[in-house]
Amino acid sequence: MPSYKLTYFNARGRAELTRLLFAYNGTAFEDARIQGEEWSKLKPNTPWGSLPILEVDGKMLGQSIAIARYVAKAVNLAGKDEWEQAIADSIVDAAVDLFPPIGKYKFESDETKKAELKKNFDEKTFPAYLQNMSKQLGKNKYFVGDSVTWADLAVFSMWEMIPENDLCHDNLKEHRSRIEKLPKIAAYLAKRPKTDF
């Protein structure tokens, strides 16, 4: 089995989907959580000058979604055939569309502007997003096929970024509960470091 090392800051952020994939499959990996001073030394040696990075037997891969897709394939959570993989990819792409607007309000230093950005997110961006996600899930237990894929873990990971927001749709609430109660996911959630983002 390959040796995996995932490097990111001490946060969930853009590395959490990959951590969830490893956890769900029970795959051992080194979860390297670095601080600011370590990052300045590491940055010039990364593929894209950004985190996360995944090292697989010493080979380095950058870009969070490329990393998660690679791991999803390695742990058989990418989808059962090419069509399922394409649908899963589309759900993941839609899930990560929330990163920029969440980041804008979470990291805004001006409190007035932060409040405006959060209000816009809560009243416009998030409701439209929820409507589309609810429609994609429909009456199914999972977003793709009849079992967990990386799409389910990607959507769950996004919900975790904004726990204060109500999912509003019963099918999305049930999906979130279903994923967080999966035994290996529940065990991972119970022991992972507590972080704000």
Short mmCIF file of all heavy atoms in Angstrom, two decimals, residues 134-159:
data_model
loop_
_atom_site.label_atom_id
_atom_site.label_comp_id
_atom_site.label_asym_id
_atom_site.label_seq_id
_atom_site.Cartn_x
_atom_site.Cartn_y
_atom_site.Cartn_z
N SER A 134 -30.41 20.37 -3.04
CA SER A 134 -31.59 19.58 -2.68
C SER A 134 -32.17 18.90 -3.92
O SER A 134 -32.55 17.73 -3.88
CB SER A 134 -32.63 20.47 -2.01
OG SER A 134 -33.78 19.72 -1.68
N LYS A 135 -32.22 19.63 -5.00
CA LYS A 135 -32.74 19.08 -6.27
C LYS A 135 -31.85 17.92 -6.75
O LYS A 135 -32.36 16.89 -7.20
CB LYS A 135 -32.79 20.18 -7.32
CG LYS A 135 -33.39 19.76 -8.64
CD LYS A 135 -33.61 20.97 -9.53
CE LYS A 135 -32.48 21.09 -10.49
NZ LYS A 135 -32.64 22.18 -11.46
N GLN A 136 -30.53 18.08 -6.63
CA GLN A 136 -29.62 17.02 -7.08
C GLN A 136 -29.77 15.76 -6.23
O GLN A 136 -29.71 14.65 -6.74
CB GLN A 136 -28.16 17.51 -7.02
CG GLN A 136 -27.82 18.55 -8.05
CD GLN A 136 -27.99 18.06 -9.46
OE1 GLN A 136 -27.61 16.95 -9.81
NE2 GLN A 136 -28.59 18.90 -10.30
N LEU A 137 -29.96 15.93 -4.92
CA LEU A 137 -30.10 14.77 -4.04
C LEU A 137 -31.46 14.11 -4.20
O LEU A 137 -31.56 12.88 -4.21
CB LEU A 137 -29.88 15.19 -2.58
CG LEU A 137 -29.98 14.09 -1.53
CD1 LEU A 137 -28.95 12.98 -1.79
CD2 LEU A 137 -29.79 14.67 -0.12
N GLY A 138 -32.49 14.92 -4.36
CA GLY A 138 -33.84 14.38 -4.51
C GLY A 138 -34.22 13.50 -3.33
O GLY A 138 -33.98 13.84 -2.18
N LYS A 139 -34.79 12.34 -3.62
CA LYS A 139 -35.21 11.40 -2.57
C LYS A 139 -34.17 10.31 -2.30
O LYS A 139 -34.44 9.35 -1.59
CB LYS A 139 -36.54 10.76 -2.96
CG LYS A 139 -37.67 11.77 -3.04
CD LYS A 139 -38.98 11.10 -3.43
CE LYS A 139 -40.08 12.14 -3.51
NZ LYS A 139 -41.36 11.59 -3.90
N ASN A 140 -33.00 10.48 -2.88
CA ASN A 140 -31.94 9.48 -2.74
C ASN A 140 -31.23 9.60 -1.40
O ASN A 140 -31.20 10.67 -0.79
CB ASN A 140 -30.93 9.64 -3.88
CG ASN A 140 -31.60 9.53 -5.22
OD1 ASN A 140 -32.36 8.61 -5.48
ND2 ASN A 140 -31.32 10.49 -6.10
N LYS A 141 -30.60 8.52 -0.98
CA LYS A 141 -29.79 8.55 0.24
C LYS A 141 -28.46 9.23 -0.02
O LYS A 141 -27.89 9.85 0.87
CB LYS A 141 -29.54 7.12 0.74
CG LYS A 141 -30.71 6.47 1.41
CD LYS A 141 -30.27 5.13 1.97
CE LYS A 141 -31.34 4.54 2.85
NZ LYS A 141 -30.89 3.30 3.48
N TYR A 142 -27.93 9.04 -1.23
CA TYR A 142 -26.62 9.56 -1.59
C TYR A 142 -26.72 10.34 -2.90
O TYR A 142 -27.65 10.14 -3.67
CB TYR A 142 -25.61 8.41 -1.73
CG TYR A 142 -25.55 7.55 -0.49
CD1 TYR A 142 -26.13 6.28 -0.46
CD2 TYR A 142 -24.96 8.02 0.67
CE1 TYR A 142 -26.10 5.51 0.68
CE2 TYR A 142 -24.93 7.26 1.83
CZ TYR A 142 -25.51 6.00 1.82
OH TYR A 142 -25.49 5.25 2.97
N PHE A 143 -25.75 11.19 -3.15
CA PHE A 143 -25.81 12.03 -4.34
C PHE A 143 -25.60 11.25 -5.63
O PHE A 143 -26.12 11.65 -6.68
CB PHE A 143 -24.78 13.17 -4.25
CG PHE A 143 -25.29 14.34 -3.46
CD1 PHE A 143 -24.98 14.46 -2.12
CD2 PHE A 143 -26.10 15.29 -4.04
CE1 PHE A 143 -25.45 15.54 -1.37
CE2 PHE A 143 -26.59 16.37 -3.31
CZ PHE A 143 -26.26 16.49 -1.97
N VAL A 144 -24.85 10.15 -5.57
CA VAL A 144 -24.55 9.38 -6.78
C VAL A 144 -24.77 7.90 -6.50
O VAL A 144 -24.15 7.34 -5.60
CB VAL A 144 -23.10 9.60 -7.25
CG1 VAL A 144 -22.81 8.83 -8.53
CG2 VAL A 144 -22.81 11.08 -7.44
N GLY A 145 -25.64 7.28 -7.26
CA GLY A 145 -25.84 5.85 -7.09
C GLY A 145 -26.42 5.48 -5.74
O GLY A 145 -27.11 6.28 -5.09
N ASP A 146 -26.11 4.27 -5.30
CA ASP A 146 -26.71 3.74 -4.08
C ASP A 146 -25.73 3.57 -2.93
O ASP A 146 -25.98 2.84 -1.99
CB ASP A 146 -27.39 2.40 -4.39
CG ASP A 146 -26.42 1.36 -4.95
OD1 ASP A 146 -25.21 1.67 -5.09
OD2 ASP A 146 -26.87 0.25 -5.27
N SER A 147 -24.59 4.26 -3.03
CA SER A 147 -23.60 4.17 -1.95
C SER A 147 -22.81 5.48 -1.87
O SER A 147 -22.88 6.33 -2.75
CB SER A 147 -22.66 2.98 -2.19
OG SER A 147 -21.99 3.12 -3.42
N VAL A 148 -22.03 5.59 -0.80
CA VAL A 148 -21.23 6.80 -0.57
C VAL A 148 -20.19 6.97 -1.67
O VAL A 148 -19.53 6.00 -2.07
CB VAL A 148 -20.53 6.72 0.81
CG1 VAL A 148 -19.57 7.88 1.01
CG2 VAL A 148 -21.55 6.67 1.93
N THR A 149 -20.06 8.21 -2.16
CA THR A 149 -18.96 8.57 -3.05
C THR A 149 -18.30 9.82 -2.47
O THR A 149 -18.78 10.40 -1.49
CB THR A 149 -19.45 8.89 -4.48
OG1 THR A 149 -20.27 10.07 -4.44
CG2 THR A 149 -20.19 7.72 -5.11
N TRP A 150 -17.26 10.26 -3.14
CA TRP A 150 -16.59 11.47 -2.67
C TRP A 150 -17.49 12.68 -2.76
O TRP A 150 -17.29 13.66 -2.04
CB TRP A 150 -15.26 11.65 -3.39
CG TRP A 150 -15.25 12.14 -4.80
CD1 TRP A 150 -15.92 11.62 -5.87
CD2 TRP A 150 -14.48 13.23 -5.31
NE1 TRP A 150 -15.61 12.32 -7.00
CE2 TRP A 150 -14.73 13.32 -6.68
CE3 TRP A 150 -13.60 14.14 -4.73
CZ2 TRP A 150 -14.13 14.28 -7.51
CZ3 TRP A 150 -13.00 15.09 -5.55
CH2 TRP A 150 -13.27 15.15 -6.91
N ALA A 151 -18.53 12.62 -3.60
CA ALA A 151 -19.49 13.72 -3.67
C ALA A 151 -20.20 13.93 -2.34
O ALA A 151 -20.37 15.06 -1.88
CB ALA A 151 -20.51 13.45 -4.79
N ASP A 152 -20.61 12.84 -1.70
CA ASP A 152 -21.29 12.94 -0.40
C ASP A 152 -20.37 13.56 0.65
O ASP A 152 -20.79 14.41 1.44
CB ASP A 152 -21.74 11.56 0.07
CG ASP A 152 -22.73 10.94 -0.88
OD1 ASP A 152 -23.85 11.45 -1.00
OD2 ASP A 152 -22.37 9.94 -1.53
N LEU A 153 -19.12 13.16 0.64
CA LEU A 153 -18.17 13.67 1.62
C LEU A 153 -17.81 15.13 1.33
O LEU A 153 -17.60 15.92 2.26
CB LEU A 153 -16.92 12.78 1.66
CG LEU A 153 -17.19 11.33 2.09
CD1 LEU A 153 -15.92 10.51 2.02
CD2 LEU A 153 -17.81 11.26 3.47
N ALA A 154 -17.79 15.51 0.05
CA ALA A 154 -17.51 16.91 -0.31
C ALA A 154 -18.63 17.82 0.17
O ALA A 154 -18.37 18.89 0.74
CB ALA A 154 -17.33 17.04 -1.82
N VAL A 155 -19.87 17.41 -0.05
CA VAL A 155 -21.00 18.22 0.39
C VAL A 155 -21.01 18.30 1.91
O VAL A 155 -21.18 19.38 2.49
CB VAL A 155 -22.33 17.66 -0.16
CG1 VAL A 155 -23.53 18.36 0.45
CG2 VAL A 155 -22.36 17.78 -1.68
N PHE A 156 -20.81 17.18 2.58
CA PHE A 156 -20.75 17.17 4.04
C PHE A 156 -19.66 18.11 4.55
O PHE A 156 -19.86 18.87 5.49
CB PHE A 156 -20.50 15.74 4.54
CG PHE A 156 -20.32 15.65 6.02
CD1 PHE A 156 -21.42 15.71 6.86
CD2 PHE A 156 -19.06 15.53 6.57
CE1 PHE A 156 -21.25 15.64 8.24
CE2 PHE A 156 -18.89 15.46 7.95
CZ PHE A 156 -19.99 15.52 8.78
N SER A 157 -18.50 18.07 3.92
CA SER A 157 -17.39 18.92 4.32
C SER A 157 -17.75 20.40 4.20
O SER A 157 -17.38 21.21 5.05
CB SER A 157 -16.16 18.61 3.45
OG SER A 157 -15.07 19.40 3.83
N MET A 158 -18.50 20.76 3.16
CA MET A 158 -18.92 22.15 3.01
C MET A 158 -19.90 22.55 4.12
O MET A 158 -19.82 23.65 4.64
CB MET A 158 -19.54 22.41 1.64
CG MET A 158 -18.56 22.36 0.50
SD MET A 158 -17.03 23.33 0.72
CE MET A 158 -17.68 24.97 0.98
N TRP A 159 -20.82 21.67 4.46
CA TRP A 159 -21.77 21.99 5.55
C TRP A 159 -21.00 22.30 6.83
O TRP A 159 -21.40 23.15 7.62
CB TRP A 159 -22.73 20.85 5.82
CG TRP A 159 -23.65 20.40 4.74
CD1 TRP A 159 -24.16 19.12 4.63
CD2 TRP A 159 -24.22 21.13 3.65
NE1 TRP A 159 -24.98 19.04 3.52
CE2 TRP A 159 -25.04 20.26 2.90
CE3 TRP A 159 -24.09 22.44 3.20
CZ2 TRP A 159 -25.73 20.65 1.76
CZ3 TRP A 159 -24.78 22.84 2.06
CH2 TRP A 159 -25.59 21.95 1.36
#
